[in-house]
Amino acid sequence: MGREYGGVIETETVPTPSGDARITWHRGARKARLVLALGHGAGGGIEARDLQALAEALPGRGVTVALVEQPWRVAGKKVAPAPKTLDAAWTALWPALEKPGPPVVAGGRSAGARVACRTGRGLGACAVLALSFPLHPPGRPEKSRAEELTGAGLPTLVVQGGRDPFGRPGEFPPGIRLVEVPGGDHGFAVPKASGTREEALAVITGVVADWLDGIA
């Protein structure tokens, strides 16, 4: 059990074929209508500013946020494993995400967004949230991962920084529902000319909350 913040934070360890994963639950004071499961990227963990902002903002709007740490992060490793290994771990912990009862939205940032896109439909997610989707490696637009997005087969929202080197908003295929964070990089940091970090995070939490209202 964790600290109070108008709701409750709880941590759960879940075994997977790759080792133990960890779910940090952010629950609101009232009954949730959705669970938003968010995985982290390959270069960081659930401390990412966008994940933390959503975990703080959404429980008050009836959405439980589950921040999911992949086994390699729990074990203290510095390099993420292959996509198939990430998908297998996410699949193994999915029943724990469904256990509370509300429909689950699969999501994540960067590599975590890719996992959600690849697995969400098969696991029974009701939608997918992709934060900073890595459309291609920096400087390699020919290595597109657009098919992961277009093939998700579920209502999908992409939230993308305007200057993300892994894919700027204008590079995404037509028909993708996308909201731009003006001036944001891959971690949603913004230059002074584009506003403050707090303003960028407010854009993210606002558009995600409104989108989830439509999903529910």
Side-chain angles (χ1 to χ4, degrees), residues 39-56:
H40 54 77
I46 62 170
E47 72 279 359
R49 59 174 66 93
D50 51 333
L51 302 184
Q52 290 294 320
L54 290 168
E56 189 70 24

Side-chain angles (χ1 to χ4, degrees), residues 91-179:
T91 298
L93 62 83
W94 189 261
L97 298 170
E98 291 182 311
K99 189 174 181 180
V104 183
V105 176
R109 73 160 357 266
S110 196
R114 295 182 65 196
V115 173
C117 287
R118 290 191 299 257
T119 64
R121 185 177 184 180
L123 292 172
C126 62
V128 171
L129 173 63
L131 304 164
S132 294
F133 186 84
L135 187 64
H136 56 71
R140 301 291 302 277
E142 73 279 4
K143 299 286 187 180
S144 177
R145 299 166 182 140
E147 62 184 25
E148 292 182 354
L149 271 177
T150 58
L154 293 168
T156 300
L157 174 66
V158 177
V159 182
Q160 200 78 2
R163 59 188 182 95
D164 191 332
F166 288 83
R168 299 190 178 210
E171 298 180 67
F172 282 74
I176 296 294
R177 184 168 183 176
L178 186 148
V179 174

Side-chain angles (χ1 to χ4, degrees), residues 51-117:
L51 302 184
Q52 290 294 320
L54 290 168
E56 189 70 24
L58 294 179
R61 296 195 46 171
V63 178
T64 291
V65 178
L67 299 183
V68 179
E69 293 175 85
Q70 283 270 359
W72 68 274
R73 284 287 297 186
V74 175
K77 298 178 182 178
K78 298 185 182 302
V79 179
K84 287 184 179 180
T85 302
L86 297 176
D87 290 358
W90 184 261
T91 298
L93 62 83
W94 189 261
L97 298 170
E98 291 182 311
K99 189 174 181 180
V104 183
V105 176
R109 73 160 357 266
S110 196
R114 295 182 65 196
V115 173
C117 287

